[in-house]
Amino acid sequence: MTHAMLKGSNVPLEATTVRAVLRWTPGQGVPDVDASALLLGRDGRVRSDEDFVFYNQPRHPSGKVWRLGKKRVPEGLTDTIQSDLGGVEPGVGRVLLVASADGVPFDQVPALCILLYDAAVAGGEPLARFEIKPETGAETALICGELYRRGEGWKFRALGEGYSNGLRGLATDFGISVDESEVEEPRQTPPETAAQPLPPEQPTTSVPSQPAYGYPQTASPQQPAYGYPQPTSGLPAHGGPQYQPQPALAAPLDPDFRLPPQGPQFIGR
């Protein structure tokens, strides 16, 4: 059964590995949306910058919280954070689930919601669903919800709290020292094509640029007769001197020129 969440409500989680799916409807003028996570210590702040899981740092060093990336589904586009709650370090008390809209206010993002799944159940119904309604519409980053410890277990709380200064402002508020170029640089894949498979690699017909082993190369595409040097500036043949082209004769041969006698001569009578 899926719990329909209201802002501020919470639900206990029996699943040890949960998949938080951020979903929205793409369209003309709709910004790209990214899912992120912040792992907070008992004091409500990150322990280091490594506790920030986002598109430039998609996996936490512990390996227990990571981004699965974007996917196109019949209902729209999704971006997903998965958490192995059973393996999250004891020093982490909360995992914030965050959405950012690349500097564009969330009033331009229709049908934004977060769905929580048991990652161990393939094709199962969501454990919880929260329809996110920005309070002012000017927010460019939202804390959609949080996974938090309660005793020996974990719970999920629906939040929907917004920031007008984007992901950088939100992360800084929880103790992240953010380089502006890290957070503000554009992603490589636009949202409209993020879930599209790459085209199959086409075979190439180019010839390798390396020369045949032990033989010099010529400038002409015609291959030389085997074993003869070529009149170019290429590498010399292996183990021998480089061939030097001979200059052309200055004048044609005398037409009356004859070779000297060679051996016995036979003269007809």
Side-chain angles (χ1 to χ4, degrees), residues 153-168:
W154 287 81
K155 287 187 171 185
F156 171 71
R157 178 181 288 119
L159 292 176
E161 297 175 357
Y163 285 72
S164 61
N165 51 353
L167 184 59
R168 183 172 186 270

Side-chain angles (χ1 to χ4, degrees), residues 2 10 21 34 38 40 54 78 81 89 93 129-130 140 153 186 193 198-199 201 209 237 258:
T2 300
N10 64 76
V21 179
D34 294 293
L38 283 85
L40 306 183
F54 69 122
T78 66
I81 298 287
E89 301 151 294
R129 176 191 178 103
F130 176 41
T140 54
T193 59
L198 293 174
E201 185 175 350
S209 59
R258 296 290 185 272

Side-chain angles (χ1 to χ4, degrees), residues 129-141:
R129 176 191 178 103
F130 176 41
E131 303 285 345
I132 305 169
K133 305 295 183 183
E135 292 182 350
T136 68
E139 298 91 338
T140 54

Side-chain angles (χ1 to χ4, degrees), residues 18-269:
V18 297
R19 193 167 64 245
V21 179
L22 188 68
R23 194 177 74 197
W24 68 98
T25 301
Q28 184 67 32
V30 176
D32 191 11
V33 178
D34 294 293
S36 308
L38 283 85
L39 286 71
L40 306 183
R42 302 291 182 172
D43 60 354
R45 296 174 65 82
V46 297
R47 300 162 301 168
S48 74
D49 289 355
E50 292 181 334
D51 284 342
F52 186 21
V53 176
F54 69 122
Y55 44 79
N56 279 351
Q57 187 170 272
R59 193 175 188 91
H60 190 264
S62 67
K64 302 305 180 182
V65 180
W66 65 97
R67 287 184 81 229
L68 290 180
K70 295 184 180 177
K71 183 178 179 182
R72 187 177 293 276
V73 297
E75 297 84 0
L77 284 177
T78 66
D79 198 4
T80 302
I81 298 287
Q82 186 156 311
S83 303
D84 177 5
L85 299 178
V88 171
E89 301 151 294
V92 175
R94 292 190 290 160
V95 178
L96 299 186
L97 304 171
V98 174
S100 57
D102 202 20
V104 180
F106 268 100
D107 63 357
Q108 299 184 34
V109 181
L112 182 67
C113 67
I114 187 168
L115 303 107
L116 218 63
Y117 292 85
D118 184 343
V121 180
E125 292 293 318
L127 303 175
R129 176 191 178 103
F130 176 41
E131 303 285 345
I132 305 169
K133 305 295 183 183
E135 292 182 350
T136 68
E139 298 91 338
T140 54
L142 290 166
I143 303 174
C144 303
E146 64 176 359
L147 305 167
Y148 65 100
R149 293 185 188 270
R150 182 62 68 198
E152 297 298 319
W154 287 81
K155 287 187 171 185
F156 171 71
R157 178 181 288 119
L159 292 176
E161 297 175 357
Y163 285 72
S164 61
N165 51 353
L167 184 59
R168 183 172 186 270
L170 185 153
T172 302
D173 204 29
F174 287 94
I176 295 287
S177 301
V178 181
D179 181 352
E180 186 171 354
S181 63
E182 288 184 341
V183 175
E184 298 300 331
E185 71 175 14
R187 261 69 66 212
Q188 297 293 324
T189 307
E192 292 296 325
T193 59
Q196 300 301 319
L198 293 174
E201 185 175 350
Q202 299 298 320
T204 61
T205 57
S206 60
V207 179
S209 59
Q210 289 79 7
Y213 182 81
Y215 290 91
Q217 301 303 295
T218 66
S220 168
Q222 183 177 359
Q223 296 300 316
Y226 181 83
Y228 289 89
Q230 301 305 302
T232 69
S233 59
L235 296 173
H238 181 69
Q242 186 170 5
Y243 171 77
Q244 299 295 330
Q246 301 299 319
L249 294 175
L253 295 174
D254 185 349
D256 295 327
F257 173 78
R258 296 290 185 272
L259 291 172
Q262 307 258 339
Q265 305 297 307
F266 298 91
I267 303 175
R269 299 284 181 181

